[in-house]
Amino acid sequence: MTSQHQEQAAARGLLRAVSQSIGYDVAAVWGRAIAAVPRARFLPDRVWLLHGDAYDVCDRRDAPERWLASAYADAPVVTQINDGREPDDPADAWPSCSASAPSIVIAMLDALDLTAGTRVLEIGTGTGWNAALLAHRLGDANVVTVEVDPALAARARSTLASLGYAPTVVCGDGRLGWAPGQAYDRVVATCSVRRIPPAWIAQTRTGGTILAPWDSPWICGGLVQLTVGDDGSAAGRYSPDSAFMLMRTQRPDLLLFRDVVHDDHQPTESVTTLDPWSVADAGVETQFALGLRLGDLWYAWHHDPEVDGVATRLWVATTDGTSWAAVDWDGTEDAGRYTVWQHGPRRPWDEVEAAYQWWLDNGRPGPCRFGLTVRPDGEHRAWLDTTTNSWPLR
């Protein structure tokens, strides 16, 4: 079988896998687009594949069959690590660009509800595959895509051109959108955000849609789909099943033992009966709700912290680094009681307990019961079930 035939067979297999994953047949318009713009053409020869808790290098020249299988699997493929600067130690590798799983790509394209003539602004060009699918469906003139990384933008532009596509590829800060192309009918992000940038709302026509993966300091996951109002606001609901890399310009630069916890801190001691595993590394329903209620709190596990009588410690801290809590488990099975240490003007563990109780009292809501309103002044308000039951995101 020739390479071209192998690629065509792999693409057909990918369509079947995507249909199975999303629970319905891929629309014919997207099936034709996938056939016209093969995913493999947009991947670099050197990619990284998740193996356990680490990433393995997969080079097309050394492992062509594995590389091709990854190109047509319904799974994400990491195409860049560490913003393009490979670390000396492979264990220090972290993904900075990827080709998203095709099933989430198709699900998001379906959610955009595109028709002929729809103008789309994409934030996060990445490999360029998603932009190619959009250009195939809508035409080059109706697609603008913005990429912050010059090398990625240049490569995507070249790959698109090699297949006969010429959407507008802008190298710039995605937070700013691209004003010369406004007003857009749709804005779609392929990176997650913690806040909706004002420019996205300003550059979207009234009644238009913004679709973006969501991230909170507590958990990365979920999509938010907003409709832009005529007063400059945007509102809509969340849905589950999405995890994307955080927009580079919204990344935090905070380390626990560099910026938060210091030797001279004198924390207060208390006891809790709330199992720390009930709120951290818990199910998506729990953590998504906590992320919206807690706003600016994040957590980190510390196993075997070399503290007498402590087997595992859960750290919780504010994103400004001014307050922290540590919840200690002594290793006893079914302990029931955990020592809590808290420092700073806020008491983060108290806030976690209150948020968890709120979640229980409201029937353990999952992502689909939550929504978001971005007001004209930029204030973000999360809400449960209706906009009247809202609170400001911190």
Side-chain angles (χ1 to χ4, degrees), residues 20-328:
Q20 184 176 9
S21 179
I22 62 180
Y24 55 87
D25 289 340
V26 174
V29 65
W30 296 124
R32 292 192 294 271
I34 288 174
V37 287
R39 188 178 187 233
R41 305 293 179 89
F42 290 84
L43 300 185
D45 288 340
R46 183 179 172 86
V47 298
W48 290 261
L49 305 177
L50 188 61
H51 183 72
D53 294 329
Y55 288 93
D56 283 346
V57 174
C58 179
D59 194 296
R60 186 178 192 175
R61 292 160 295 189
D62 300 330
E65 292 185 359
R66 186 185 182 208
W67 184 93
L68 186 64
S70 71
Y72 288 103
D74 185 23
V77 177
V78 174
T79 57
Q80 184 195 70
I81 59 172
N82 299 52
D83 291 341
R85 299 179 294 274
E86 291 193 38
D88 295 331
D89 184 350
D92 294 331
W94 47 271
S96 53
C97 181
S98 70
S100 301
S103 56
I104 187 60
V105 170
I106 294 301
M108 290 178 67
L109 290 173
D110 281 343
L112 291 174
D113 190 25
L114 304 174
T115 58
T118 302
R119 288 189 51 74
V120 178
L121 171 64
E122 178 193 41
I123 306 300
T125 311
T127 66
W129 189 55
N130 197 64
L133 296 175
L134 287 167
H136 183 87
R137 172 73 176 85
L138 303 171
D140 294 334
N142 288 318
V143 180
V144 175
T145 180
V146 181
E147 172 58 52
V148 70
D149 187 309
L152 294 178
R155 187 181 188 281
R157 189 182 293 110
S158 175
T159 305
L160 286 160
S162 72
L163 291 170
Y165 296 99
T168 300
V169 180
V170 177
C171 182
D173 185 348
R175 290 179 304 175
L176 305 178
W178 198 65
Q182 65 179 316
Y184 302 100
D185 302 296
R186 306 286 186 267
V187 173
V188 59
T190 62
C191 53
S192 62
V193 294
R194 293 182 175 178
R195 292 292 185 273
I196 302 299
W200 297 5
I201 299 175
Q203 293 172 21
T204 303
R205 67 167 178 80
T206 298
T209 298
I210 297 172
L211 179 65
W214 187 254
D215 181 282
S216 72
W218 198 265
I219 183 177
C220 175
L223 288 169
V224 64
Q225 185 163 343
L226 309 176
T227 300
V228 174
D230 57 10
D231 62 349
S233 66
R237 289 186 173 273
Y238 290 97
S239 59
D241 303 328
S242 168
F244 284 71
M245 298 170 196
L246 187 61
M247 176 182 282
R248 293 191 187 187
T249 48
Q250 291 190 5
R251 286 179 190 165
D253 180 20
L254 193 68
L255 296 178
L256 184 65
F257 295 112
R258 183 194 69 187
D259 306 312
V260 181
V261 181
H262 301 289
D263 292 339
D264 62 347
H265 287 174
Q266 297 182 353
T268 59
E269 181 181 358
S270 60
V271 173
T272 184
T273 58
L274 177 59
D275 177 350
W277 285 272
S278 295
V279 294
D281 287 349
V284 171
E285 294 81 3
T286 309
Q287 294 205 80
F288 189 85
L290 291 179
L292 289 180
R293 291 295 291 183
L294 297 171
D296 62 349
L297 293 187
W298 58 282
Y299 74 86
W301 289 103
H302 192 175
H303 302 291
D304 300 319
E306 298 183 357
V307 177
D308 289 344
V310 180
T312 296
R313 171 170 283 174
L314 174 67
W315 292 97
V316 178
T318 56
T319 54
D320 65 5
T322 61
S323 300
W324 59 262
V327 185
D328 292 341

Side-chain angles (χ1 to χ4, degrees), residues 304-385:
D304 300 319
E306 298 183 357
V307 177
D308 289 344
V310 180
T312 296
R313 171 170 283 174
L314 174 67
W315 292 97
V316 178
T318 56
T319 54
D320 65 5
T322 61
S323 300
W324 59 262
V327 185
D328 292 341
W329 175 56
D330 63 8
T332 303
E333 188 175 353
D334 299 324
R337 292 169 64 85
Y338 307 88
T339 301
V340 179
W341 306 92
Q342 299 191 85
H343 173 81
R346 288 167 55 183
R347 297 180 63 81
W349 186 250
D350 293 0
E351 295 180 25
V352 170
E353 289 185 314
Y356 182 71
Q357 188 60 51
W358 176 92
W359 180 70
L360 294 177
D361 293 343
N362 283 276
R364 303 171 183 257
C368 293
R369 286 182 59 189
F370 289 96
L372 176 71
T373 296
V374 184
R375 293 183 170 178
D377 62 3
E379 182 187 33
H380 284 54
R381 296 190 69 87
W383 39 271
L384 177 66
D385 297 330

